[in-house]
Amino acid sequence: MKRLLLGLAGWLPARFREDFGADVEEQIERDWARARSRGRARLALFVVTTAWDLAVVGVLERLWPARGRGVGADRDTRADWNTRTGDGMMTTWWQDLGFAWRSLRRAPSFTTTAVLTIGTTLGITTAVFAVVQKVLIEPLPYPDADRLVYIAASAPGSDFPEEFGVSAEFYFEYRALGDVLEDVGTFNSFTNTLRVGDRVERVRMSVPTPSMFSTLGVRPILGRLPVPDDEQEVAVISHAAWLDWFGGEPGVIGRAIDAGGGVRTVIGVMGPDFGFPNEGVLLWIPNDMRNEGITPGRFGMRLVGRIAPGVEMAALRDRLRETAHRLPEQYGGSARYARLMELHEPVVRPLDDEMLGFARTSLWVLLAAMGMVLLIAATNVTNLFLVRSERRLRDLAVRRAIGAGSVQLARLQLSESLVVA
């Protein structure tokens, strides 16, 4: 490490080394021995601060050479180096920061305004960024979330809406496309009555197919997931419902509750990160559909699917389109239904886009707006510092007259900025 510092000393300008090179190396040798005698921590601090000193002095000497500063310049430069080496420039910074703190205490109005302006704006910006990070940047809390897609339907040229949910026959045929879709599940969200003991409330719940859980790739933290044989006699509850309605009791598995107009048996508790299709859902009542007696064309069903590895979105759309065009031959239906299937175009997009909807654009706009507010606040505080500097011209002129250099004066101003920050 000592060789490294001596090597950095060789990076100083040649004219500076001619005048002070021997003193610099002697000072490094002496301070190295003193720091080493005080332990490894002190030695490490010495190496870091001295390396920083050498780098800064190398830059400053190239910008403002020691020669030509006036009478006594060599002596003052030598003394300034000896002062800054040893405890290093960090000591000088601490002194400047202490002076800046005392100076700011004598101007409470300025200090309070600057701190509140920057602090409040930073706090709001940080809060907005935390929301953006949680909602937009971090992926959905499911395994291989980039392979999860939302599937709907459209029929350009028909009197149907621009986008609408599929019907039961789509679900069964899509599940058979194992080469492009690993799994498919239905989902929904509505409010209904939940009764546990004497407590009765209307809460948000969902009636998905059991395949929704396997499609998302989730597991409960207690109990098990539903299977087709469970019918609608069981329920899976959320982590929030487990804590709020059952006090977090492990014995909740097997307990009977009145939910959605019937008595269900709790078979599983999901983890705190699971909330599908939204965070407000407190329980899921599985409903496995049968591929018998289907009446085609009852649209409105929402699907979530998991794309098979290596399958592109365009290839998936092509397969879904071909499948939909064959549905009238397999399931019959009216002439209007057949015409609709001729016009059918599948809607497939990443699941996170569907979950976020317009919130994605709104949050990015909000974050950009807060960034502009932060920039405006920083500009306002900068103006306050400029006004304060103008009022201190006499003080700065006196300091310059008694020997303070431009770097020292700039460092003093920067110290006040650091204290406010």
Side-chain angles (χ1 to χ4, degrees):
M1 289 297 181
K2 183 168 65 174
R3 292 181 180 179
L4 172 63
L5 295 179
L6 294 175
L8 286 176
W11 181 75
L12 296 170
R15 298 183 63 183
F16 185 90
R17 291 199 308 272
E18 291 176 4
D19 293 336
F20 312 112
D23 292 327
V24 169
E25 294 179 1
E26 180 184 348
Q27 188 72 40
I28 290 175
E29 294 278 359
R30 184 165 54 251
D31 292 334
W32 170 276
R34 184 168 63 248
R36 186 176 183 181
S37 65
R38 297 180 182 179
R40 293 184 177 180
R42 182 67 180 182
L43 181 60
L45 178 62
F46 164 77
V47 171
V48 172
T49 55
T50 304
W52 172 257
D53 279 347
L54 291 168
V56 172
V57 171
V59 173
L60 295 181
E61 286 299 327
R62 283 172 168 78
L63 297 176
W64 299 287
R67 291 174 180 265
R69 292 180 183 166
V71 179
D74 291 351
R75 181 180 67 254
D76 293 341
T77 304
R78 189 189 308 269
D80 181 62
W81 169 262
N82 291 334
T83 298
R84 288 184 292 158
T85 312
D87 287 337
M89 188 177 288
M90 297 301 294
T91 301
T92 306
W93 271 108
W94 278 116
Q95 293 173 351
D96 289 342
L97 289 173
F99 177 81
W101 169 247
R102 293 190 296 271
S103 178
L104 290 172
R105 288 181 61 184
R106 292 193 292 269
S109 299
F110 166 81
T111 305
T112 302
T113 302
V115 170
L116 288 180
T117 301
I118 292 295
T120 303
T121 311
L122 273 177
I124 298 175
T125 304
T126 303
V128 172
F129 178 77
V131 175
V132 171
Q133 181 183 29
K134 182 67 176 178
V135 176
L136 301 182
I137 300 178
E138 294 181 357
L140 294 173
Y142 311 122
D144 298 321
D146 58 322
R147 291 166 49 203
L148 294 174
V149 293
Y150 170 76
I151 303 175
S154 66
S158 70
D159 56 355
F160 270 64
E162 181 179 352
E163 179 179 321
F164 52 93
V166 301
S167 52
E169 65 272 19
F170 285 80
Y171 166 71
F172 292 112
E173 294 303 313
Y174 287 173
R175 289 202 73 185
L177 303 177
D179 56 331
V180 292
L181 281 174
E182 282 190 355
D183 208 348
V184 179
T186 69
F187 67 95
N188 56 22
S189 176
F190 57 92
T191 60
N192 209 318
T193 303
L194 173 63
R195 181 192 300 272
V196 177
D198 296 331
R199 182 177 178 181
V200 181
E201 292 182 19
R202 288 190 68 84
V203 302
R204 185 157 292 278
M205 57 184 67
S206 177
V207 179
T209 54
S211 59
M212 181 200 74
F213 297 98
S214 59
T215 301
L216 296 176
V218 295
R219 301 293 303 174
I221 59 174
L222 283 179
R224 63 176 178 86
L225 291 176
V227 295
D229 292 339
D230 288 325
E231 299 294 339
Q232 288 186 283
E233 299 176 355
V234 300
V236 177
I237 63 175
S238 69
H239 192 268
W242 180 47
L243 296 179
D244 185 25
W245 287 74
F246 303 96
E249 297 178 2
V252 68
I253 303 300
R255 183 168 175 177
I257 60 175
D258 189 339
V263 178
R264 327 283 181 185
T265 301
V266 177
I267 61 170
V269 177
M270 301 305 295
D273 293 334
F274 183 74
F276 189 83
N278 54 66
E279 296 291 339
V281 175
L282 293 187
L283 62 91
W284 297 264
I285 302 171
N287 177 31
D288 189 51
M289 296 187 294
R290 297 287 189 268
N291 193 5
E292 296 120 8
I294 293 177
T295 301
R298 293 185 175 180
F299 299 103
M301 186 178 297
R302 305 170 70 188
L303 296 183
V304 57
R306 179 175 290 274
I307 300 179
V311 176
E312 299 293 334
M313 198 81 75
L316 174 61
R317 290 193 183 96
D318 291 340
R319 288 295 303 279
L320 297 184
R321 185 184 301 107
E322 294 172 4
T323 301
H325 290 172
R326 294 195 302 265
L327 290 178
E329 301 176 6
Q330 298 175 259
Y331 294 88
S334 63
R336 184 169 180 264
Y337 174 75
R339 171 60 178 165
L340 191 66
M341 289 301 97
E342 292 178 1
L343 300 174
H344 175 270
E345 287 293 331
V347 175
V348 182
R349 56 175 171 266
L351 183 62
D352 58 349
D353 288 351
E354 172 62 21
M355 295 295 99
L356 295 175
F358 294 106
R360 181 186 295 274
T361 302
S362 300
L363 286 175
W364 282 123
V365 171
L366 179 60
L367 181 62
M370 289 310 307
M372 293 299 298
V373 172
L374 179 60
L375 180 61
I376 293 172
T379 303
N380 290 336
V381 173
T382 301
N383 290 332
L384 290 176
F385 271 102
L386 291 176
V387 172
R388 176 173 168 80
S389 297
E390 291 179 358
R391 294 178 179 178
R392 300 179 61 194
L393 288 178
R394 178 181 175 82
D395 174 61
L396 296 177
V398 171
R399 290 178 179 275
R400 185 62 180 266
I402 61 178
S406 301
V407 175
Q408 291 173 302
L409 297 178
R411 190 174 59 210
L412 182 62
Q413 302 299 310
L414 182 59
S415 298
E416 291 191 356
S417 302
L418 290 175
V419 171
V420 170

